[in-house]
Amino acid sequence: MRCVAHIINLAVKDGLKETGKSVERVRESVKWVKSTPARSRKFKDCIEFEKIASKKFVSLDVATRWNSTYLMLESVKPFEKAFQTLARNDKKFKKHLNEKRYGNESLGITTSDDWSSVGRLIDYLKLFYDLTVRVSGTSYVTLHLLFDEVCEMYTMISEWADGIDFEVSCMADRIKSKLAKYWFEDELENSKMNRLCYMAVILDPRRKVEYLEQALKKVYGESRGKALVEEVKDEMRLLFDHYKHRLGLPGSSPIVIQEDVQEPSGSGDGKKKGKIWGDFRKMKRDAILKGTRKSSKSEFDRYLEEEEDDEVVTRALVGSEEDEYKFDILGWWSRSGMKYPTISEMARDILAVPISTVASESAFSTGGRVLDSFRTSLSPEVVEALICSEDWIRSSDFELVADGEDEGDEVVFQNVYVAFQARSASAPAGPSGSSRAGPSGSSPATHVLVSSPTMSQVEEDYVDNNSDENDETYVDVEPDED
């Protein structure tokens, strides 16, 4: 089962290339505003001037993560007028954006067309963002939800592609072509679509085959949709027979017809039977052997044909959205285990298949703890240097701050500079002259420098990211604004 979140990530990142310049202008504007406290204060003055009542502030994204780009655009949209005011009043801000390069041309300031594009993009990205959140849940099963989400996505993308907005139409075409490699059928058959997704829909007592057939006909056409339903039903019958024989439940062995034997005297209703009863018994016997008797239908066929009169299913179908949300499909199959013993075992195994690896990957990911949303503009080299410096300082007896005094960021930075020089001088050189060992007399650091930048480069990046051109440095900020 391919990870849904990764497929969406590939598709959306490909589609965002159509609106890259507008997004890049917004990103550079946010980066300028958040780079120093002085610039943030200027932007807040613009917010007050435009009387924007939003209590939130703009957030910067990580360019490689489209969901953080969506959150950035969503946070920026209410401050459109504030950014326009800042561009009119701050020449340095306008100069910075004009000097930035986007490919072979100047980036430029954000225009009204860019803001319109961002507004539309927020609405479209919200569909994928909400989908990613739903399929990444850990407290409920998700396999039976995938088909609904794919159909909804197909409908929306088709509407975008047929719309009059050229930019959005191009974006939708790119997304659709990417998703078609995994979910949507191209011509005859989508061999990459895992059939368990269809089986999970059939195992949902609210939907079954009727909903699956209706949705597939709408997505893939009348003939192909109907043929695909029959293929899924045949595959599911094979799986049902496998479970039935493996579990050894009643009905898994062929019926053995025994010869008539002499009944002992005194049996319940007497041993002599009339001709009418004999003919009826023979008819039933032939029906059982031929498999034409109604009761001879398999458990799987009975499940497909019977209308579920369960109160929980009925309430989920005709009740409110909250009743639909609260429907517990695993709980329903647990209660229906006596009625459908074999299919309940199938449902337990099939519905437990996860459709996303987000939950398991996030449990072992340390990226968010190393590089949080407040330091997204640091370069990889500076992050690497800071991590190494932290390891070296922790493993030594070097005191960064004088006892009983808080000397501020300027003194701390100078101490880090001294420690960096001391550790670099005492460490043996690596293959390319880079420092790859920890402090002298200690084991190598956990995080090693692949390419060790000079301290002048680190200091230059620190100054660029934490100072303004108006001789106003980071350490001059009042404590309540730090």
Side-chain angles (χ1 to χ4, degrees):
M1 181 67 66
R2 291 175 174 84
C3 175
V4 176
H6 284 100
I7 295 175
I8 295 174
N9 179 57
L10 293 174
V12 176
K13 286 174 64 177
D14 201 41
L16 283 175
K17 295 177 181 178
E18 294 293 334
T19 57
K21 192 169 185 178
S22 299
V23 174
E24 186 62 25
R25 283 173 173 171
V26 172
R27 181 181 293 119
E28 284 298 326
S29 299
V30 174
K31 189 180 296 186
W32 169 274
V33 166
K34 292 180 67 69
S35 59
T36 67
R39 295 172 182 173
S40 296
R41 284 197 296 270
K42 290 179 183 178
F43 184 67
K44 290 178 181 178
D45 292 339
C46 296
I47 294 175
E48 294 180 0
F49 177 79
E50 294 293 343
K51 298 180 181 180
I52 299 175
S54 178
K55 295 181 180 179
K56 297 182 179 180
F57 196 60
V58 294
S59 63
L60 186 62
D61 71 329
V62 179
T64 57
R65 301 175 185 175
W66 73 266
N67 52 348
S68 68
T69 301
Y70 161 73
L71 295 175
M72 178 191 71
L73 298 178
E74 189 182 40
S75 70
V76 166
K77 191 64 175 69
F79 303 102
E80 174 182 347
K81 292 184 179 180
F83 276 107
Q84 292 174 348
T85 302
L86 182 65
R88 289 194 302 266
N89 299 334
D90 194 334
K91 295 181 179 179
K92 295 177 181 177
F93 172 64
K94 188 175 182 179
K95 179 183 177 183
H96 170 76
L97 293 181
N98 288 329
E99 290 178 350
K100 272 287 181 179
R101 307 300 297 175
Y102 184 78
N104 296 326
E105 56 185 5
S106 173
L107 182 62
I109 62 173
T110 310
T111 64
S112 57
D113 291 338
D114 293 326
W115 287 112
S116 299
S117 177
V118 165
R120 294 191 302 269
L121 194 59
I122 291 173
D123 295 336
Y124 301 140
L125 291 181
K126 189 177 188 303
L127 170 68
F128 299 102
Y129 180 81
D130 293 341
L131 171 59
T132 304
V133 172
R134 285 194 294 270
V135 301
S136 303
T138 57
S139 59
Y140 52 88
V141 293
T142 54
L143 183 60
H144 66 299
L145 303 175
L146 176 58
F147 182 74
D148 286 349
E149 302 293 351
V150 170
C151 291
E152 179 70 16
M153 192 185 309
Y154 177 86
T155 304
M156 294 297 296
I157 293 175
S158 298
E159 292 179 359
W160 300 346
D162 297 336
I164 60 175
D165 192 318
F166 178 75
E167 190 177 66
V168 173
S169 178
C170 294
M171 181 185 71
D173 287 336
R174 293 181 71 112
I175 294 176
K176 189 175 181 179
S177 62
K178 181 68 71 172
L179 293 178
K181 297 180 180 180
Y182 302 96
W183 290 332
F184 303 146
E185 298 205 7
D186 187 11
E187 294 180 0
L188 298 177
E189 175 178 19
N190 185 359
S191 59
K192 294 184 179 181
M193 183 66 171
N194 196 317
R195 295 295 174 88
L196 285 180
C197 300
Y198 299 142
M199 294 181 184
V201 176
I202 296 178
L203 291 174
D204 190 336
R206 301 164 297 174
R207 294 172 172 82
K208 294 188 177 180
V209 177
E210 183 179 3
Y211 171 77
L212 179 65
E213 184 173 356
Q214 177 181 346
L216 288 177
K217 286 181 178 179
K218 185 176 181 180
V219 175
Y220 301 129
E222 187 77 20
S223 59
R224 178 54 191 157
K226 188 174 182 179
L228 187 56
V229 170
E230 294 301 322
E231 293 175 11
V232 175
K233 287 170 64 176
D234 292 341
E235 292 176 359
M236 203 165 180
R237 283 193 179 94
L238 292 175
L239 186 62
F240 171 78
D241 292 337
H242 169 74
Y243 269 80
K244 186 173 63 174
H245 289 289
R246 190 190 73 177
L247 298 173
L249 295 174
S252 59
S253 301
I255 298 176
V256 179
I257 304 298
Q258 296 182 347
E259 297 294 332
D260 292 335
V261 295
Q262 183 73 24
E263 293 186 34
S265 59
S267 59
D269 56 350
K271 57 185 177 180
K272 286 191 84 175
K273 306 293 181 183
K275 186 176 185 305
I276 297 177
W277 167 250
D279 293 341
F280 178 78
R281 184 170 181 270
K282 184 177 182 300
M283 179 184 69
K284 288 294 184 182
R285 175 178 176 175
D286 293 341
I288 292 174
L289 292 176
K290 293 178 181 180
T292 59
R293 192 180 67 166
K294 184 177 180 181
S295 60
S296 66
K297 287 186 177 180
S298 70
E299 175 187 329
F300 179 70
D301 291 329
R302 285 192 290 108
Y303 168 72
L304 295 183
E305 295 178 5
E306 290 182 1
E307 290 289 341
E308 300 298 337
D309 56 357
D310 185 272
E311 180 183 355
V312 178
V313 176
T314 303
R315 188 165 60 247
L317 288 172
V318 302
S320 62
E321 292 185 2
E322 185 177 357
D323 294 327
E324 168 75 11
Y325 177 76
K326 289 182 178 179
F327 180 76
D328 182 8
I329 187 171
L330 290 183
W332 188 90
W333 276 110
S334 178
R335 295 190 300 271
S336 303
M338 294 296 293
K339 186 177 182 181
Y340 307 114
T342 306
I343 306 180
S344 64
E345 291 291 329
M346 292 172 55
R348 184 189 65 179
D349 293 342
I350 292 177
L351 295 175
V353 176
I355 60 176
S356 172
T357 59
V358 172
S360 57
E361 288 179 357
S362 61
F364 300 97
S365 175
T366 60
R369 293 188 288 272
V370 173
L371 186 63
D372 59 21
S373 58
F374 296 99
R375 289 167 175 81
T376 53
S377 61
L378 290 179
S379 64
E381 291 78 11
V382 173
V383 173
E384 190 178 28
L386 292 175
I387 291 175
C388 280
S389 300
E390 181 185 27
D391 283 345
W392 296 345
I393 292 169
R394 283 182 176 179
S395 60
S396 68
D397 297 328
F398 188 80
E399 293 293 337
L400 283 181
V401 182
D403 295 336
E405 296 183 10
D406 183 2
E407 302 185 32
D409 287 351
E410 188 174 0
V411 175
V412 171
F413 180 78
Q414 292 297 330
N415 289 333
V416 171
Y417 173 76
V418 174
F420 192 93
Q421 284 185 322
R423 302 301 172 250
S424 299
S426 61
S432 59
S434 60
S435 174
R436 294 187 176 273
S440 57
S442 64
S443 59
T446 305
H447 304 276
V448 297
L449 279 174
V450 177
S451 58
S452 176
T454 63
M455 203 57 207
S456 59
Q457 293 173 330
V458 177
E459 187 174 9
E460 181 180 350
D461 285 339
Y462 181 91
V463 173
D464 287 344
N465 290 328
N466 297 282
S467 66
D468 199 345
E469 298 179 15
N470 296 328
D471 296 331
E472 197 165 3
T473 59
Y474 183 83
V475 294
D476 291 334
V477 183
E478 284 78 14
D480 60 336
E481 294 185 36
D482 189 12

